[in-house]
Amino acid sequence: MRLLFFAAGIFLFPLSAQLHAELTIADIFTDGAVLQRDRPIPIWGTAGAGEKVTISFGTVKLKTLSDINGSWRTSLPALPASDQPRLLSISAGDETLIERNDILIGDVWLASGQSNMAMPVSRALNPEKELSEADYPMLRVFTVTRKSSPEPLDHCTGTWEKSSRETAGKFSATAWFFGREIHLEAGVPIGLIVSAWSGSAIEAWVSHEVQAEQSYLQPLLQSWADKDAAYTPAVAEEEETNHSEALAMWKKAFQTAKAADQPLPKKPRRPIDPRLHHHHPAALFNGMISPILPYAIRGAIWYQGETNGLTAESAALYDRQLPLLVNDWRRRWNQGDFPMAWIQLPFVSSQQVDWPTVREAMRLAQESLPNTGMAVTLDLGEERLLHPLNKQAFAHRLALWARSEVYGEDIPWSGPLPTNFKIKNGKATVTFSHANDGLVINGGESLTGFELRAKDGNWHPAKATISKNSILIVSTDVRAPIAIRYAWANHPAANLFNAAGLPATPFQLGDTANTVTQTTPKPTASKKATTNPPTKPPLDSAEIATLPFGGERVEIFLLMGQSNMKGRGIMPHEPLRDPRILMMHKKTDQWFLARHPLHLTGDPETFEGHDNAGVGSGLAFAETLVRHQPETRIALVPCAVGGTRIALWAKGSRLYEDAIRKAKLALEAGPKGKTRIAGALWLQGESDSQEARVPVYAEALAELVNNLRTDLEIEDLPFLVSTIGEMKADIGLRQAINEILLDLPNQVSGTAAVDARDLTGHIGDLVHLDTVSQNEIGKRFARKYLQLHQVRKEAK
């Protein structure tokens, strides 16, 4: 880098810094912008090197210095939602000033994908009616102008626009209908950042850095590297010449055909540098995602997959590419695991594509990635249309997810999702979540779309019948099935729905590999259940005494009970790294960023000594809480021990006294005056489902609550319990234990009970709940806690 020097030899800033001497703010900050509420708001730009920059917004005033390259960045503090327009001003020195007017504070959603996300309102169903009712000044859209680039860019083109009859027609229909529903239901300003490109591939939206680390993507990356190298200046010049000649010929042919009222010829495509192609890995990330990082957002929605489903080869990669994109974006936004959901591809008339594989990849990603959702839209396709017009229905399915999982409404949001299956004696059974009110047949007298796979690898149609939230599947052509699938076709005949009118997702379960090597093992209750080992790298150390992201307080929760609280569910591929959620290491009392398994007993670095702990309900509980209380940092204290009966949790016992010690230790370690013990979660009872123990269980449970409140000096400490599983055919006295648990709020004030008896997914032993069920219990714990919290606030 060339430097400029004083005569005395003292150097000035680099020449590149001089080129950034003009005061600027990132392009996404235009008049009319919506800023994200309830979390710090990064603001950035350029100025002269080492220059003092002042930022003013309402009553907030900040100062920062640009670095040696002229870049500056700071963050406004977390602010509540406001529909009152404010002025954002930035100054450097006495003469330069940037002002952005009419700035609101609300929720900002990123909307990305390909043509079905880019498709405008003017081309959607009933555009005249929609546009006549489109005046929502608190709903605003920033559409990132299409731009591809070989390298990450700092700049983009676009402007924030208010929704009106005049403007809404050009907005993304999926994003706008989604944003409109959220705006009307949540009652806050909504900002939509639309970054979409028709026909784009998912690899174009992921950074090159992370794709280069994936061995399975090396053939794809190498094929593009070969294209890049072959596109020399000489080739580019030749293609440009050929295009000019072809264009001249086309113009003549066009005029001739038009005059003769004949079909018009297609205009020749302009040659393009492969590095700028909208399929090129990272090209759209560089041009359309990088420039808006790290603009604070509430979450993201994604509608893409058609391009990657064009061939079986490209579709086969999607189950790893989608999680790669989600994790890449989350790391770069540095907002923890922000909410993200996608539209699962609907039916399509074409038979020359592989959409079932992409749909399954989307299902698996939603199952494994925390804080994600999927709008099942199998029933919303339109014959012979790759771009369905009814974008209102697609957006509504996404909005149901957001309203339930992000905004806390108690509404059904998904169609049935498979949580567990078993194959025994020639019959297959699949159990579903999101089927609390039962499964239904939508159209026809019997279920369609189910198939069983024989040992020879062939699939055969099967008969399926409903039993509450499960499906029993049999086929006279398959005596010993090894796998099950449903709606496995581009345009399947499928009619399984839930009572809320939402369709079941397509799926494959069991031995679905192309080459059959073994049959599905039969689960046995006597076999010891196991989980996958913890996901590495080692635990991330954390400091409980600090409050990141403008947090206001630390809330401590005890996780108590036996093995189902400890968790045995299969863990996700990527660990959670949300700095707002901490865990106390069960053995060392050290603090780390929370991740599965919460009840890890092994060494935090090497995991030596790890037992069979897996996914429990605690982390989903914490994730739900921080979505509703973003100013709160959650500190989880794992205390559960497998196989313990309630008598082992009595006052004076090792388990009880250790829980009290850990709670007080956490309280002392947190920031003074901003830390409190907020509650305890209890998931236990299997070991007490015996004739001699049931009669004393209610008294022992009430005594446990009172002892905790006395020893922690919190007279109204929230105590939440969950029912235990009733998966076995002979549930014995578990039902009696569950009746006691459900009755606790009637016996002890300030307590709540989660009814999870409908969650029957288990890990194969009919005892330990699987990952999906555990996550659902965690969410229900959180909702009950929020209700208790509100009651306590009103009482005070």
Side-chain angles (χ1 to χ4, degrees):
M1 179 181 295
R2 185 162 62 92
L3 302 177
L4 300 180
F5 292 85
F6 284 120
I10 302 175
F11 65 84
L12 290 172
F13 292 108
L15 181 60
S16 62
Q18 305 304 311
L19 299 177
H20 292 91
E22 179 185 0
L23 179 66
T24 70
I25 188 172
D27 298 321
I28 196 168
F29 293 94
T30 73
D31 290 345
V34 179
L35 305 181
Q36 179 58 46
R37 62 169 169 160
D38 298 333
R39 68 178 34 149
I41 305 166
I43 297 181
W44 68 98
T46 63
E51 193 165 12
K52 181 187 294 184
V53 179
T54 302
I55 300 95
S56 298
F57 183 67
T59 60
V60 178
K61 191 169 185 177
L62 303 172
K63 293 184 179 181
T64 189
L65 287 175
S66 60
D67 63 19
I68 194 172
N69 295 313
S71 298
W72 60 267
R73 174 177 166 180
T74 188
S75 292
L76 295 172
L79 300 168
S82 173
D83 59 5
Q84 298 302 308
R86 302 186 201 182
L87 174 69
L88 174 66
S89 66
I90 303 95
S91 61
D94 299 324
E95 300 180 359
T96 55
L97 178 68
I98 295 174
E99 291 186 342
R100 297 290 183 258
N101 297 285
D102 191 21
I103 308 298
L104 306 180
I105 305 174
D107 282 340
V108 180
W109 286 88
L110 171 67
S112 187
Q114 59 180 103
S115 53
N116 271 308
M117 182 62 83
M119 179 178 163
V121 174
S122 61
R123 288 178 49 203
L125 193 65
N126 301 323
E128 296 82 6
K129 178 181 182 299
E130 297 293 359
L131 293 176
S132 70
E133 303 170 355
D135 290 330
Y136 297 100
M138 300 301 147
L139 174 58
R140 303 179 177 188
V141 181
F142 184 100
T143 303
V144 181
T145 302
R146 294 196 333 180
K147 178 75 173 179
S148 59
S149 172
E151 301 294 337
L153 301 181
D154 296 327
H155 299 282
C156 65
T157 304
T159 186
W160 284 96
E161 297 183 85
K162 298 178 184 178
S163 174
S164 68
R165 302 182 184 192
E166 293 74 29
T167 62
K170 62 186 176 183
F171 296 155
S172 158
T174 300
W176 188 78
F177 290 128
F178 170 84
R180 181 181 66 178
E181 183 167 342
I182 299 303
H183 171 57
L184 294 176
E185 294 296 332
V188 299
I190 295 293
L192 301 168
I193 302 172
V194 179
S195 185
W197 188 312
S198 297
S200 58
I202 191 172
E203 53 264 27
W205 295 100
V206 184
S207 70
H208 185 273
E209 176 186 346
V210 300
Q211 293 190 82
E213 297 172 350
Q214 314 305 317
S215 59
Y216 66 90
L217 288 178
Q218 295 314 302
L220 175 66
L221 298 179
Q222 186 59 51
S223 69
W224 280 101
D226 294 341
K227 294 176 185 177
D228 298 345
Y231 198 76
T232 63
V235 171
E237 183 178 357
E238 181 181 357
E239 286 195 355
E240 189 64 38
T241 300
N242 293 338
H243 176 261
S244 298
E245 294 174 353
L247 190 62
M249 294 175 63
W250 170 81
K251 289 179 180 179
K252 292 180 180 180
F254 182 89
Q255 294 300 329
T256 301
K258 186 176 181 181
D261 196 24
Q262 296 293 320
L264 301 177
K266 289 185 178 181
K267 186 177 182 179
R269 291 186 177 182
R270 189 176 191 87
I272 183 173
D273 184 333
R275 296 176 302 167
L276 303 180
H277 197 282
H278 56 289
H279 290 181
H280 194 290
L284 304 187
F285 172 87
N286 292 337
M288 301 177 67
I289 297 297
S290 177
I292 62 177
L293 289 168
Y295 197 88
I297 60 175
R298 184 66 185 268
I301 55 176
W302 174 255
Y303 193 168
Q304 193 275 339
E306 300 91 337
T307 291
N308 292 84
L310 287 174
T311 69
E313 292 75 18
S314 58
L317 297 176
Y318 207 83
D319 65 336
R320 288 172 285 184
Q321 288 178 298
L322 182 55
L324 191 67
L325 178 140
V326 174
N327 289 321
D328 187 29
W329 285 11
R330 283 175 168 177
R331 281 192 293 267
R332 293 178 187 281
W333 252 277
N334 196 30
Q335 289 185 189
D337 287 342
F338 61 74
M340 184 167 177
W342 42 87
I343 289 178
Q344 189 186 52
L345 298 182
F347 75 73
V348 64
S349 300
S350 173
Q351 296 303 311
Q352 306 304 314
V353 294
D354 188 5
W355 283 19
T357 297
V358 175
R359 294 189 195 114
E360 179 72 350
M362 292 176 164
R363 180 186 75 84
L364 294 173
Q366 191 269 329
E367 185 179 273
S368 64
L369 292 170
N371 208 13
T372 58
M374 180 178 69
V376 181
T377 64
L378 191 64
D379 59 324
L380 297 183
E382 296 174 30
E383 294 289 350
R384 294 177 296 281
L385 282 181
L386 187 61
H387 305 101
L389 302 182
N390 191 7
K391 288 295 185 287
Q392 294 92 328
F394 285 82
H396 175 60
R397 298 267 171 95
L398 280 176
L400 288 176
W401 161 78
R403 288 167 57 189
S404 173
E405 300 303 291
V406 180
Y407 294 92
E409 290 188 53
D410 187 14
I411 57 174
W413 66 268
S414 174
L417 303 176
T419 59
N420 186 57
F421 78 97
K422 62 181 179 181
I423 299 174
K424 186 176 182 180
N425 298 330
K427 300 178 181 180
T429 303
V430 181
T431 304
F432 295 84
S433 62
H434 299 280
N436 292 358
D437 295 323
L439 300 169
V440 299
I441 300 172
N442 185 1
E445 297 181 357
S446 59
L447 288 173
T448 59
F450 284 89
E451 297 173 275
L452 290 177
R453 193 183 199 197
K455 290 183 179 180
D456 61 6
N458 293 319
W459 291 94
H460 299 269
K463 180 181 178 181
T465 54
I466 295 173
S467 176
K468 295 183 180 179
N469 65 338
S470 297
I471 300 291
L472 177 66
I473 309 138
V474 296
S475 173
T476 56
D477 296 323
V478 186
R479 298 182 59 184
I482 62 171
I484 315 139
R485 70 183 184 186
Y486 169 72
W488 201 264
N490 289 318
H491 193 337
N495 59 359
L496 177 62
F497 284 65
N498 61 17
L502 298 171
T505 177
F507 61 83
Q508 282 194 136
L509 301 169
D511 190 345
T512 59
N514 290 330
T515 302
V516 181
T517 57
Q518 59 183 20
T519 58
T520 304
K522 298 178 180 180
T524 59
S526 60
K527 182 179 179 180
K528 185 177 181 180
T530 59
T531 63
N532 54 326
T535 309
K536 296 185 178 182
L539 300 184
D540 296 311
S541 296
E543 179 54 66
I544 190 176
T546 61
L547 286 167
F549 298 135
E552 296 179 4
R553 60 181 177 271
V554 174
E555 294 195 339
I556 301 163
F557 290 90
L558 298 175
L559 308 180
M560 306 171 66
Q562 57 183 108
S563 55
N564 265 314
M565 174 57 81
K566 185 178 178 180
R568 295 283 182 83
I570 299 297
M571 287 174 288
H573 298 298
E574 291 288 335
L576 180 72
R577 289 188 175 90
D578 190 335
R580 296 170 298 174
I581 307 175
L582 304 183
M583 60 185 275
M584 178 186 280
H585 188 260
K586 197 165 186 289
K587 210 166 187 180
T588 66
D589 295 342
Q590 296 172 283
W591 288 100
F592 299 94
L593 296 186
R595 56 180 275 190
H596 294 302
L598 290 175
H599 285 76
L600 177 69
T601 57
D603 182 273
E605 290 290 327
T606 66
F607 296 98
E608 291 182 6
H610 160 252
D611 62 11
N612 57 0
V615 172
S617 57
L619 202 50
F621 165 78
E623 289 180 90
T624 306
L625 278 195
V626 296
R627 289 202 297 273
H628 292 277
Q629 300 178 340
E631 74 285 354
T632 301
R633 194 177 207 192
I634 305 298
L636 301 174
V637 181
C639 303
V641 175
T644 54
R645 60 187 189 276
I646 198 168
L648 297 178
W649 290 92
K651 182 179 174 65
S653 69
R654 179 182 62 82
L655 296 180
Y656 176 87
E657 296 302 331
D658 196 47
I660 296 294
R661 179 189 67 80
K662 287 177 179 288
K664 291 182 177 179
L665 190 65
L667 185 63
E668 294 172 0
K672 303 304 179 186
K674 296 184 178 181
T675 306
R676 67 170 183 167
I677 301 171
L681 309 186
W682 178 257
L683 181 45
Q684 188 275 346
E686 296 91 344
S687 293
D688 286 280
S689 301
Q690 298 181 19
E691 188 172 349
R693 296 174 183 172
V694 169
V696 299
Y697 192 82
E699 182 180 351
L701 186 61
E703 185 178 358
L704 173 61
V705 178
N706 292 328
N707 286 338
L708 284 173
R709 289 173 171 176
T710 299
D711 290 340
L712 295 176
E713 299 179 353
I714 307 171
E715 62 180 4
D716 59 349
L717 176 75
F719 189 90
L720 295 91
V721 302
S722 171
T723 57
I724 58 176
E726 297 182 1
M727 287 86 77
K728 292 184 177 181
D730 180 13
I731 61 174
L733 294 175
R734 290 191 185 188
Q735 189 173 20
I737 291 292
N738 280 337
E739 290 174 357
I740 295 171
L741 291 166
L742 291 171
D743 190 51
L744 179 65
N746 299 322
Q747 305 302 322
V748 182
S749 63
T751 63
V754 167
D755 190 353
R757 290 174 295 179
D758 60 304
L759 302 177
T760 57
H762 57 88
I763 65 172
D765 59 0
L766 299 175
V767 175
H768 295 99
L769 297 161
D770 63 12
T771 296
V772 174
S773 296
Q774 286 283 14
N775 286 338
E776 179 60 27
I777 290 176
K779 294 173 185 177
R780 295 182 187 183
F781 265 136
R783 290 171 184 153
K784 288 291 185 180
Y785 173 77
L786 291 170
Q787 293 171 7
L788 270 184
H789 183 60
Q790 185 62 33
V791 170
R792 293 173 77 206
K793 284 177 61 177
E794 293 172 354
K796 293 180 179 179

